[in-house]
Amino acid sequence: DKGNHRHFMEKEIHEQPEVISHALSHYVDFTTNKVTTQPGIDFAAVRSLAISACGTAYLAGLTGKYWFERYARLPVEIDVASEFRYREMPLSPDQAALFISQSGETADTLASLRYCKAEGLKIGAVVNVKESTIARESDAVFPILAGPEIGVASTKAFTCQLAVLAALSVAAGRARGTVSEAEEIALVKSLIEMPRIMNRVLNAVQPQIENLARDLSRYKDVLYLGRGTSYPLALEGALKLKEISYIHAEGYAAGELKHGPIALIDENMPVIVIAPHDRFFEKTISNMQEVAARGGKIIFITDEKGAAASKLATMATIVLPNVDEIIAPMVFALPIQLLAYHTAVFMGTDVDQPRNLAKSVTVE
Ligand code: F6R
């Protein structure tokens, strides 16, 4: 049932504050602002973490890598499952592995899991479908509690995966002594605040994004740039746009711009810059200047501080509230999802059932 939404994707985008709140309640205590203990993987006892997944779930994992390394000082090896399973990488039982999958049935992700299991690693599954094969074959199941996701393009599963990975990285940091109690409380408070902020953002940006989507639908190529955790988000933005609007889109780490993609910049390829006012902001702005200097059109997705700090002319600037760094990926995911959605709606594509795609990829 789509309720009063045109598509399941739209419904699922708007469900995010509610389902994330539900997911979080499983991982953090709303009264003490602390993480709750999750059975299955002793993060204090492992030397490193391997993460494997496909598509959007992989991009959630890539964001998780930044968090586990920063908060838990836990080295993370991550790869798309179709590469991971064949790499013959050296693994040992003092490592743990996390597999992220909405469906819990993705063939390559499952094969990577079995490979790690055979090598003696502790296996954790970040899944939506709790009865899935990936969940059943894991030592620890970390449910994302997003509810059924019908739209083929993943939205709420992505942000719920992020919320769970963020909470797990804080839990791992506590277990490993790299996050203090005060830091834990501050981080968990930010996570708990997030659904309310997401609600506000969904309502605030909607009209502007619909207008922008009309403009964007006229282009054939789009580039997304971001640094730090905004880099996986740039990849996710490009993936979402190409999947449902069929516009060619690429995501790049902003610092890679001058190593290749800058050759493509002209007035026919809008550049979507994702840049909250974080410790990477100045660097990303200098990349944005390089785009502007070559006649590139910029769609700037930033926060209030970032908007005040940049003087560059843009095709559009989407201004989000200033938020704590740990929740920025989930909050910034919203305009990215909405932009892809409304662009596809303008182009008249089958948003919930994009051509050639399947919701669950059980063949290799
Ligand atoms: C993108 C998308 C796909 C899936 C990928 C993994 O919008 O939905 O990239 O994320 O096929 O699927 P799961 O998470 O079921 O393993």
Side-chain angles (χ1 to χ4, degrees):
D1 180 18
K2 293 178 208 155
N4 46 19
H5 294 284
R6 280 168 294 181
H7 301 97
F8 282 107
M9 183 177 176
E10 184 181 48
K11 172 174 178 256
E12 288 159 4
I13 288 173
H14 288 273
E15 267 172 11
Q16 289 175 109
E18 196 187 323
V19 290
I20 284 196
S21 177
H22 180 51
L24 281 172
S25 68
H26 199 83
Y27 295 90
V28 303
D29 186 321
F30 284 54
T31 53
T32 60
N33 294 315
K34 291 188 169 185
V35 289
T36 44
T37 331
Q38 300 297 319
I41 291 182
D42 180 2
F43 287 108
V46 297
R47 181 170 58 81
S48 69
L49 198 58
I51 302 182
S52 185
C54 300
T56 289
Y58 163 74
L59 298 174
L62 194 54
T63 313
K65 174 187 163 81
Y66 286 82
W67 288 329
F68 277 104
E69 293 190 336
R70 178 165 186 204
Y71 299 119
R73 310 301 299 153
L74 192 56
V76 175
E77 171 66 56
I78 175 162
D79 211 340
V80 290
S82 55
E83 290 301 317
F84 186 104
R85 58 179 295 197
Y86 296 118
R87 268 172 57 191
E88 302 181 45
M89 67 176 92
L91 294 169
S92 62
D94 59 354
Q95 296 172 285
L98 279 184
F99 300 91
I100 308 166
S101 176
Q102 188 285 127
S103 63
E105 303 295 346
T106 301
D108 282 316
T109 309
L110 179 59
S112 298
L113 183 158
R114 288 176 176 160
Y115 174 73
C116 288
K117 208 172 182 179
E119 298 291 316
L121 280 73
K122 267 266 184 274
I123 309 293
V126 178
V127 291
N128 198 26
V129 182
K130 279 192 275 183
E131 311 75 30
S132 59
T133 313
I134 287 175
R136 271 189 279 113
E137 298 197 12
S138 297
D139 300 308
V141 178
F142 304 111
I144 65 163
L145 303 161
E149 190 180 63
I150 311 291
V152 164
S154 184
T155 52
K156 63 175 181 171
F158 176 62
T159 50
C160 285
Q161 285 160 352
L162 289 177
V164 169
L165 290 167
L168 286 179
S169 71
V170 175
R174 275 306 274 159
R176 296 169 64 81
T178 53
V179 166
S180 70
E181 191 180 349
E183 285 164 336
E184 174 188 17
I185 290 174
L187 289 165
V188 170
K189 269 190 180 160
S190 308
L191 291 173
I192 293 172
E193 254 181 29
M194 170 169 63
R196 191 179 45 82
I197 295 170
M198 290 177 90
N199 243 327
R200 227 168 74 208
V201 167
L202 281 171
N203 293 324
V205 300
Q206 180 90 14
Q208 186 190 8
I209 289 194
E210 275 188 58
N211 278 327
L212 182 57
R214 189 182 295 114
D215 295 340
L216 199 64
S217 67
R218 289 196 279 265
Y219 292 90
K220 291 205 156 49
D221 307 278
V222 178
L223 181 65
Y224 289 73
L225 299 177
R227 274 177 195 261
T229 52
S230 298
Y231 163 49
L233 213 48
L235 298 175
E236 170 63 6
L239 177 60
K240 215 90 301 174
L241 188 70
K242 77 181 81 161
E243 278 187 296
I244 60 170
S245 75
Y246 316 139
I247 293 174
H248 168 233
E250 290 195 63
Y252 264 92
E256 279 288 292
L257 180 67
K258 53 170 86 58
H259 300 286
I262 198 163
L264 296 171
I265 304 289
D266 63 16
E267 68 287 354
N268 298 316
M269 186 177 69
V271 180
I272 302 185
V273 179
I274 306 162
H277 196 275
D278 55 16
R279 61 213 153 94
F280 312 108
F281 184 75
E282 296 300 329
K283 296 274 180 201
T284 308
I285 290 302
S286 71
N287 301 127
M288 210 162 102
Q289 264 151 0
E290 291 157 8
V291 172
R294 283 155 188 87
K297 291 188 175 144
I298 295 160
I299 297 171
F300 187 29
I301 306 183
T302 187
D303 52 25
E304 284 154 8
K305 276 192 203 158
S310 165
K311 306 272 171 296
L312 280 178
T314 63
M315 175 176 159
T317 300
I318 298 169
V319 185
L320 305 183
N322 300 322
V323 297
D324 291 333
E325 199 169 328
I326 194 165
I327 66 168
M330 290 71 99
V331 175
F332 278 68
L334 301 174
I336 275 157
Q337 296 168 343
L338 286 169
L339 190 57
Y341 172 74
H342 288 291
T343 303
V345 169
F346 267 111
M347 297 182 77
T349 61
D350 189 347
V351 175
D352 283 334
Q353 288 288 334
R355 67 187 182 202
N356 310 339
L357 291 173
K359 184 65 185 160
S360 178
V361 184
T362 52
V363 291
E364 296 164 17

